[in-house]
Amino acid sequence: MKLLVIGSGGREHALAWRLARSPRVHKVYVAPGNGGTQRAEQMENIPLTNAEELADFVQREGIALTVVGPEAPLAAGVVDVFRARGLKIFGPTKAAAQLESSKDYAKAFMVRHNIPTARYETFTDPAKAHAYIDQEGAPIVIKADGLAAGKGVVVAATLEEAHAAVDAMLGDGSMGDAGARVVIEECLVGEEASFIVMCDGRNVLALATSQDHKRLQDGDRGPNTGGMGAYSPAPIVTPELHHRIMREIILPTVQGMTRDGIPYTGFLYAGLMIAPGDDPDREIKTLEFNCRMGDPETQPIMMRVKSDLLDALEHAVDGTLDQADIVWDRRTALGAVLAAHNYPNTPRTGDVIRGLPADAEDCMVFHAATKLDGDETKTTGGRVLCVTALGDSVKMARDRVYEAIDGIHFDGRQYRTDIGWRALKPSQQKPKSNA
Ligand code: AMP
Ligand code: GLY
């Protein structure tokens, strides 16, 4: 069987890698893919991004099923184009993808369906936005309404920062259409977790839990990024909290979409804020929905899949997810991102990557912004690689990752040395390597 994965990041490399290991799959096309998917056995990069051209390719090649990685093609309606031609694809329609592509839509949806989230108001008029900030005080969170590649959220510690964020989004149009409306919301405190499920419009299958590290630097300092590392499982999501998240957030979301006439199919990612403490009734609120898997959360999650992921995907596109199951490796998987010089602002490209290790059962280097150039592998953007390993404990997975990172070099590489710190005992929080 032949499959197609749409996208070019580490998430897509990890999805394609896991699917290529299905005994029923002999080839996974990746569009457009990266240097890692180009080099991998059983994968082939296809230089296409246009939905109609992708659908033509799928029909011509007789591809059985397509999985979409990133939000942009989903928000542009690739699922609608494929379905109109009767092609099997796993992802939300353009209408359902609004859960991610419009913060205002997602917030109004959550209020309408009683899904716990931070208190908020939406503004298009800068004067009213400024007045609301003065009334609410700091800290406060300002979000551009549209897709902004992880750059649309400002957690403002002071009123000055909050006002400046409104000016940047609504005032000078620097974010284009994405910033033409802003959501201003209450600042929540606690610990974040990523909760990702598969939906077939009716049934839900939860994936393993995970947590990512959004800030650039150790100790969760520095600017927000798309994610500098992740691990699975997330120990904070105890079985009790898991149950509550399904009951209070995930199931009402899927049922709410159906009630609104927009059944949700695809991966659904709820970014959660879990209030501090250990009270089993403490608040769990939804920070955001994504209409796709997380990057880099997917990399550790895929390393823990022990059963055939294709089985679950087939059930998902056939509307029989209630009959599907995924067997998870009990070990912890952890991934650390190697980013380019000057990420996240204006990452440098063209640096040569050396020392990439061979694939191993317990350690994979998933590529993101890379390309092959003759015999060399070069950087092409911000998040370059995600080194991901399995271990019997968080510490063992972490040590295996940093051991592998010690051997990989490119000029200007940046990475965090403390991925997984929240899941480690304080005495284990610094890696042994000199990284
Ligand atoms: P979002 O894209 O909405 O998930 O926001 C990106 C990041 O901003 C989140 O992962 C949080 O770290 C932070 N954030 C978003 N909303 C809030 C909030 N209401 N309170 C505190 N932090 C937030
Ligand atoms: N790692 C966060 C995201 O994929 O949105």
Side-chain angles (χ1 to χ4, degrees), residues 11 71 100 150 194 196 211-214 225-230 269 288 290 292-298 383:
R11 166 184 47 212
E71 63 278 15
E100 174 168 3
S194 307
I196 307 173
Q211 237 170 347
D212 82 343
H213 297 260
K214 289 219 167 67
T225 70
M228 292 298 289
Y269 168 140
E288 62 164 342
N290 294 318
R292 49 168 176 84
M293 290 194 75
D295 189 337
E297 290 95 326
T298 303
R383 290 190 293 173

Side-chain angles (χ1 to χ4, degrees), residues 103 107 118 141 143 150 153-155 185-189 192 212 214-215 224 271 273 287-290:
K103 301 259 186 214
K107 296 294 288 190
V141 181
K143 300 182 173 185
V153 175
V154 175
V155 181
E185 69 178 35
E186 162 198 15
C187 187
L188 301 174
V189 290
E192 289 182 47
D212 82 343
K214 289 219 167 67
R215 302 298 191 102
N224 257 325
M273 184 71 92
L287 290 176
E288 62 164 342
F289 287 117
N290 294 318

